[in-house]
Amino acid sequence: MYKKLLFFLSLLLVLISCKPSKEIANSKHKNAPTYRIPTYKGAYTRVADLVHTKLFITPKWRQKEIQGLAEITLHQHFYPSDSIQLNALAMKIYSVELKNETILTNLNFTYDSQQINIHLPKIYEANENITLRIAYSAYPENVSLAGVGSIKEKGFYFINADSSSTFSPTEFWTQGEMESNSVWFPTIESPEQKTTWEIFLTVDSALTTLSNGLLVETKYNGDKTKTDHWNQNLPAAPYLIMIAAGNFSIIKDYWRGKEISYYVDPPYEKYARLVFGNTPEMIEYFSHLTGIPFPWQKFSQIVVHDYISGAMENVTAVVHGTNMQQDPGDYKDANYEDYIAHELFHHWFGNLVTCRSWANITLNEGFANYSEYLWRDYKYGRTNAESHLIEELNYYLVKSASKDSPLIRHSYDDKEQLFDFISYNKGGCILNMLRNYLGDSAFFKSLNFYLTTYQYSSAEVDQLRDAFEKISGEDLNWFFNQWFKKGGHPQLTVTKSWSSTENKEIVEISQHQNLAKYPLYRLPLTVDFYFNDSIVRKKILLDQTEQIFSFPMIHQPEAVVVDGDRTLVGTIKTERNIDENVYLFNHSKNILDRLDIINEIGVFTDVDSPGSKIQLKAFDDPSYLVRKVALNFSSSVCKNNPLSIQDKIILIALHDSSTENRSSALELLSSYYPKSVSIPIYETCLKDISHLVVATAFKKMWNSDAVRGREVAKQLENDSSNEVLTNLTFYYTENDSENVIYVYKKAMQKVGQWDKYSVAEDLKNYLTINKNISTLDQGIDLLFSSAKNSSLLSFKKYCLKYIQEVQARIYTASGLSGKEFEKWNNSNTNLNSSELKEKLLSLYLAAEDKITQLQISY
């Protein structure tokens, strides 16, 4: 599952709450302190094993229910038994039957809304298959899996089921990870389980469906419905089962004869290959890299509305949110190939070989995270890939200040805690470090061995370690123990000196992480010594809190770098003078070296100093990340000596390959340069393909020239991009009191679900200053309908809060008199005072009704 909506609202992924660990008190002393004993959470006990699942599914749209019939074939895992337990959440179970060829036998069962306990007519051995036929109805709206603040998790999502909303099309989709598929069919919820399956999905004939595997047959039923038969004949974990239906355009490519398809809203059909078109090449690359050709029947990607996650790797049928529906301007601003690579690589790591327990989730997510680097390196070059990996590492390092748990975590309160920057970001960076240590050949041959050995099965971290050991011949317990099984990261300080009498470079390295909590690391490192015509590399082993290394040299090196390839997952602080920094910046091929130097120089004012010259040179660095940091530190020189870098800032604003950097340059122009310089640049950028650049230019224009800003705002109302529309809603909140509800309505229809938070807040602020009854009525209705059709619980709560604030203002207005009430009359010229008060009361009561409906909905 893709986590990158951490950069939206720290999107929390799917979960079921675990019971909190018990508090154990000293029974001999009433006032003794209470100690919290961590509860070990490993793999689920395998009582029974799934074999095949056959589902007959008919969604009942208006009732938001599912009529289902499940035929589940399974067997006892080892111990003979006369019972079977299945997970099934908030269902109505009509019957459970034992199916033996064509003979059906009713079985006794008990059901507690979470688990079906089925009593079998005899004791079954482990080698005896059992086929159960279960008739049921599922009620996803009655399910609220605890633990997610922003998501009302329910496994199966009806979107605009009654077709009453203009914000979303009518469709449904499912989300199974972590243990949510038992909301819509009975199963055994465990990542270790494997099953094949068939799904017979009955929907309106006009709708397009998608599920895992291949579409075997479509049968038209004569009642304006059809039944699509999907067959997944290769085993995978139950959480990877999915279905979806809606009005989609399908665009097809092929890879080695297998269908590669993209399901999108019809208006985005013409852009589908812009976004997804590199998928076949990506499949070929990952097949070559792993040594295992793509092992599944097909690969589909579908874009759904109001999706609750970043993306989900359902086997052969990946689900994405609407952020993937992009026009050329969107694509220029945010290339989402990281999402595609991430979910595709899961088809080897996570789908082909699945983590045996959720504690080992990094075996899925760490590899998927690392695939983003691998694809970028192959397709766009090492500079692009390393810049991305550094951002992943930095995100982990910043977040680790509040939490730095082990990658493999058997003690947790809630499974959701495992889907974080440790399992993802740190996990990917550690794989890169291991690759650097072992070398490419051993690393990728080890992955092939791991995937081949455990294909269509599950594994734990020790089995991954064993694969690397079998290929490399090296005992790697030390590596996996400190990097996977313990938390934290090394924090190194490097000091060095040159002994002219002995011609030696002396390097002293200390580890200063909190050794009471985190390990003393064993670190095989390289040390690079930079000379005018060469780089000399030496190997060292750091395994003490403080170590001194002495290196004979012919003459003093120009610069010294510990961890020459800069792959260490940790921090290194190296003491250097300005001359060493200048030399290293000019000669190092490592982006992290150059970033460290820029960050050390920091804010500069003297443009003639060596440090400031390095900062200025960084504006032309091949890494977008280096250029970004240099821009962040350039405010001081822009303030004190703006002419010295004016041309450079303008050049970046107009032409940098990163639209984020272009936007930052426009911000600098706005803050530090006269309007005669900045406004012509804004005008040029308003015609740009990048929506981010256009939006920033618009924002800066209205701050610089109110009249021109208003003209541009009107022109941009035809734009449908997130960036522009969110800036428009903010603009009208601050700059206009006329009725522009149509702008907010368009924004709610067009922007991604996470941008709707800011649109809703802008709308609330707009309504707070607006006095027109019609505008208030439309605005409240817009907040209500937006919340009603959202899958996000937190968004519903925000909209409820905003309606209450507007309602409070209406209540206050109804009690006003005199000049204050005159202002309301002036905004509603067709009403006299009594009519206005009556309208306000009616509006107040209508808002109260909407508030009640929203409160009931969650």
Side-chain angles (χ1 to χ4, degrees):
M1 184 184 290
Y2 202 80
K3 90 295 181 188
K4 275 292 177 64
L5 293 183
L6 287 168
F7 62 64
F8 286 118
L9 284 174
S10 298
L11 173 63
L12 301 176
L13 309 178
V14 184
L15 64 136
I16 300 173
S17 285
C18 298
K19 294 180 180 179
S21 301
K22 293 181 179 179
E23 305 260 338
I24 308 297
N26 187 330
S27 60
K28 294 182 180 180
H29 304 284
K30 292 182 179 180
N31 297 322
T34 299
Y35 298 97
R36 195 170 187 274
I37 307 300
T39 302
Y40 177 87
K41 296 183 177 72
Y44 294 115
T45 300
R46 293 184 71 165
V47 177
D49 296 325
L50 294 170
V51 176
H52 184 71
T53 302
K54 183 185 289 187
L55 301 174
F56 299 83
I57 301 294
T58 303
K60 299 298 183 182
W61 289 84
R62 291 195 176 274
Q63 298 89 345
K64 293 187 178 181
E65 299 173 6
I66 301 147
Q67 180 179 313
L69 179 66
E71 289 188 5
I72 303 170
T73 301
L74 69 172
H75 57 73
Q76 308 292 0
H77 179 70
F78 180 79
Y79 295 105
S81 177
D82 61 357
S83 66
I84 289 285
Q85 291 77 41
L86 297 174
N87 300 110
L89 297 175
M91 294 182 182
K92 183 175 183 179
I93 309 299
Y94 299 110
S95 64
V96 178
E97 299 170 302
L98 179 68
K99 183 178 181 182
N100 186 1
E101 295 183 352
T102 59
I103 300 173
L104 296 174
T105 304
N106 281 317
L107 299 177
N108 293 325
F109 67 92
T110 58
Y111 179 56
D112 62 1
S113 80
Q114 292 189 327
Q115 191 174 74
I116 312 172
N117 189 5
I118 302 166
H119 307 286
L120 302 172
K122 67 168 190 171
I123 293 175
Y124 282 81
E125 304 289 333
N127 60 354
E128 294 183 86
N129 274 354
I130 306 164
T131 298
L132 302 170
R133 184 180 175 96
I134 303 171
Y136 66 94
S137 290
Y139 304 91
E141 294 301 309
N142 294 343
V143 175
S144 182
L145 304 179
V148 183
S150 62
I151 301 167
K152 184 177 181 180
E153 172 50 33
K154 49 194 175 183
F156 191 108
Y157 293 80
F158 288 98
I159 305 301
N160 193 21
D162 59 3
S163 302
S164 63
S165 173
T166 60
F167 300 108
S168 301
T170 298
E171 62 187 34
F172 69 74
W173 45 265
T174 62
Q175 168 65 31
E177 193 175 36
M178 298 168 75
E179 297 176 7
S180 303
N181 272 340
S182 56
V183 166
W184 61 279
F185 66 93
T187 189
I188 301 176
E189 289 273 28
S190 166
E192 190 179 10
Q193 289 285 335
K194 297 285 181 175
T195 182
T196 55
W197 61 90
E198 298 171 79
I199 297 179
F200 296 80
L201 181 56
T202 300
V203 296
D204 293 344
S205 299
L207 297 180
T208 299
T209 72
L210 177 65
S211 187
N212 319 90
L214 300 177
L215 180 60
V216 176
E217 179 187 21
T218 296
K219 178 183 176 182
Y220 291 92
N221 302 316
D223 59 354
K224 296 184 180 181
T225 69
K226 65 175 181 177
T227 300
D228 285 345
H229 176 194
W230 291 90
N231 183 29
Q232 172 63 34
N233 61 6
L234 296 170
Y239 74 85
L240 297 169
I241 299 174
M242 68 80 70
I243 55 175
N247 179 25
F248 301 103
S249 291
I250 307 174
I251 299 87
K252 294 183 179 180
D253 284 329
Y254 292 88
W255 175 83
R256 298 190 190 180
K258 295 183 178 183
E259 180 183 304
I260 312 300
S261 53
Y262 324 120
Y263 289 60
V264 299
D265 289 345
Y268 289 90
E269 178 179 357
K270 60 185 175 182
Y271 300 126
R273 281 198 175 89
L274 171 70
V275 177
F276 297 106
N278 283 334
T279 302
E281 183 181 1
M282 199 180 287
I283 294 175
E284 181 66 32
Y285 172 61
F286 287 154
S287 296
H288 170 76
L289 200 65
T290 61
I292 297 177
F294 182 75
W296 306 97
Q297 307 95 314
K298 67 138 191 311
F299 186 66
S300 298
Q301 298 177 83
I302 187 170
V303 175
V304 301
H305 285 253
D306 293 340
Y307 190 50
I308 60 172
S309 181
M312 178 61 205
E313 67 269 19
N314 307 300
V315 62
T316 78
V318 168
V319 174
H320 294 284
T322 51
N323 56 294
M324 298 296 285
Q325 295 193 140
Q326 299 182 302
D327 62 23
D330 294 317
Y331 189 78
K332 180 74 173 175
D333 290 330
N335 181 331
Y336 282 109
E337 281 187 1
D338 288 341
Y339 282 56
I340 298 171
H342 186 110
E343 307 308 332
L344 173 59
F345 210 56
H346 268 309
H347 280 69
W348 286 267
F349 294 91
N351 296 3
L352 184 62
V353 181
T354 310
C355 62
R356 183 167 176 249
S357 67
W358 297 121
N360 285 266
I361 191 62
T362 194
L363 297 187
N364 295 10
E365 299 300 349
F367 277 103
N369 179 278
Y370 189 45
S371 74
E372 302 164 28
Y373 169 86
L374 294 171
W375 170 250
R376 283 175 177 245
D377 187 29
Y378 162 78
K379 186 66 176 178
Y380 303 109
R382 184 58 56 89
T383 296
N384 180 288
E386 286 188 355
S387 298
H388 173 72
L389 195 66
I390 289 168
E391 288 182 306
E392 297 292 295
L393 174 62
N394 286 341
Y395 187 82
Y396 155 69
L397 291 173
V398 169
K399 298 287 286 184
S400 68
S402 59
K403 180 177 76 169
D404 210 350
S405 307
L407 276 175
I408 307 301
R409 283 167 275 180
H410 288 286
S411 296
Y412 49 85
D413 292 327
D414 198 303
K415 294 184 289 294
E416 167 61 22
Q417 296 170 349
L418 305 175
F419 284 75
D420 61 7
F421 59 92
I422 295 171
S423 296
Y424 286 75
N425 304 60
K426 185 180 184 182
C429 291
I430 286 174
L431 290 172
N432 185 63
M433 183 171 57
L434 181 59
R435 174 187 174 186
N436 183 263
Y437 173 72
L438 292 175
D440 279 9
S441 179
F443 181 81
F444 288 110
K445 285 182 180 177
S446 298
L447 298 190
N448 176 268
F449 182 88
Y450 170 79
L451 292 169
T452 302
T453 303
Y454 302 106
Q455 62 182 331
Y456 304 110
S457 184
S458 59
E460 294 184 328
V461 70
D462 286 330
Q463 289 159 323
L464 178 67
R465 172 186 55 78
D466 183 66
F468 280 108
E469 290 181 341
K470 279 186 166 60
I471 296 301
S472 69
E474 181 177 345
D475 185 330
L476 292 170
N477 271 288
W478 63 271
F479 185 95
F480 280 80
N481 285 344
Q482 68 186 16
W483 289 111
F484 282 82
K485 297 184 179 182
K486 295 181 180 178
H489 57 267
Q491 299 176 38
L492 309 184
T493 298
V494 178
T495 57
K496 53 190 179 48
S497 60
W498 172 253
S499 174
S500 56
T501 58
E502 298 179 302
N503 273 13
K504 288 182 178 180
E505 184 73 18
I506 300 169
V507 179
E508 182 175 349
I509 309 175
S510 62
Q511 298 190 45
H512 56 89
Q513 63 272 11
N514 184 350
L515 296 179
K517 294 177 62 177
Y518 305 122
L520 175 66
Y521 285 87
R522 180 180 187 268
L523 300 175
L525 296 171
T526 58
V527 184
D528 284 355
F529 300 90
Y530 282 72
F531 298 94
N532 285 330
D533 56 353
S534 64
I535 300 174
V536 176
R537 174 164 289 185
K538 301 289 185 180
K539 292 183 178 181
I540 62 171
L541 178 63
L542 185 67
D543 58 3
Q544 300 173 33
T545 55
E546 293 187 6
Q547 286 174 259
I548 298 175
F549 302 90
S550 180
F551 303 94
M553 300 285 173
I554 295 175
H555 52 81
Q556 183 178 2
E558 300 291 340
V560 177
V561 176
V562 173
D563 184 32
D565 292 325
R566 300 308 307 271
T567 60
L568 182 69
V569 182
T571 61
I572 303 176
K573 175 66 176 177
T574 303
E575 296 181 4
R576 298 189 184 96
N577 60 38
I578 188 62
D579 292 335
E580 290 174 303
N581 277 330
V582 169
Y583 185 91
L584 186 60
F585 188 93
N586 288 326
H587 292 84
S588 177
K589 295 181 180 179
N590 291 324
I591 297 169
L592 197 50
D593 284 337
R594 304 199 296 275
L595 282 173
D596 284 349
I597 292 166
I598 295 173
N599 279 303
E600 185 173 330
I601 293 170
V603 176
F604 60 98
T605 56
D606 183 359
V607 294
D608 295 322
S609 68
S612 65
K613 289 179 180 178
I614 289 298
Q615 290 279 23
L616 295 176
K617 185 176 181 180
F619 287 148
D620 297 314
D621 196 273
S623 168
Y624 67 85
L625 189 56
V626 174
R627 301 195 303 274
K628 175 182 177 179
V629 174
L631 281 168
N632 290 341
F633 280 122
S634 63
S635 57
S636 182
V637 71
C638 286
K639 180 179 180 180
N640 293 297
N641 197 350
L643 288 177
S644 65
I645 58 172
Q646 175 178 306
D647 291 343
K648 183 62 66 176
I649 298 298
I650 291 174
L651 190 65
I652 293 172
L654 293 174
H655 301 297
D656 197 279
S657 60
S658 163
T659 57
E660 182 182 1
N661 287 346
R662 293 181 61 194
S663 176
S664 295
L666 288 173
E667 296 280 357
L668 289 171
L669 284 172
S670 170
S671 299
Y672 301 109
Y673 291 87
K675 294 178 182 179
S676 59
V677 171
S678 60
I679 287 181
I681 307 302
Y682 304 154
E683 290 287 2
T684 299
C685 289
L686 285 169
K687 304 179 185 71
D688 203 85
I689 187 175
S690 162
H691 297 311
L692 174 61
V693 170
V694 170
T696 306
F698 164 52
K699 180 169 61 176
K700 297 306 162 187
M701 181 67 81
W702 92 57
N703 287 332
S704 300
D705 184 337
V707 174
R708 179 60 179 144
R710 184 180 296 271
E711 294 173 352
V712 173
K714 287 297 180 185
Q715 295 167 5
L716 291 178
E717 287 179 8
N718 293 323
D719 196 296
S720 296
S721 69
N722 283 24
E723 295 289 348
V724 170
L725 285 174
T726 52
N727 273 274
L728 272 176
T729 59
F730 180 75
Y731 170 81
Y732 282 125
T733 298
E734 297 290 316
N735 292 275
D736 210 326
S737 59
E738 66 179 84
N739 188 349
V740 287
I741 286 293
Y742 60 89
V743 174
Y744 294 91
K745 184 175 183 179
K746 181 178 181 179
M748 282 294 189
Q749 290 173 325
K750 298 293 184 180
V751 305
Q753 61 184 353
W754 301 106
D755 287 306
K756 288 180 181 179
Y757 283 84
S758 65
V759 173
E761 184 175 13
D762 289 342
L763 175 56
K764 180 265 297 185
N765 292 334
Y766 172 69
L767 296 176
T768 301
I769 62 171
N770 201 290
K771 298 176 178 62
N772 183 273
I773 294 294
S774 175
T775 300
L776 288 167
D777 189 20
Q778 293 176 67
I780 292 171
D781 189 62
L782 181 54
L783 284 170
F784 170 74
S785 56
S786 301
K788 179 184 175 183
N789 289 284
S790 176
S791 301
L792 298 175
L793 179 59
S794 63
F795 184 72
K796 290 178 181 288
K797 290 182 176 179
Y798 275 108
C799 289
L800 171 62
K801 174 176 175 289
Y802 295 154
I803 292 172
Q804 289 172 325
E805 289 182 24
V806 176
Q807 184 197 38
R809 179 172 182 271
I810 293 168
Y811 177 81
T812 301
S814 66
L816 292 175
S817 60
K819 291 184 178 180
E820 288 299 315
F821 199 71
E822 275 296 312
K823 295 177 182 178
W824 282 84
N825 273 330
N826 292 337
S827 297
N828 299 273
T829 53
N830 60 328
L831 300 175
N832 59 41
S833 295
S834 60
E835 290 173 332
L836 178 56
K837 287 185 179 289
E838 183 179 340
K839 288 285 185 180
L840 286 170
L841 177 61
S842 176
L843 193 57
Y844 176 89
L845 294 175
E848 185 66 27
D849 179 62
K850 290 178 170 61
I851 288 168
T852 301
Q853 290 186 55
L854 287 180
Q855 288 171 332
I856 292 173
S857 71
Y858 63 82

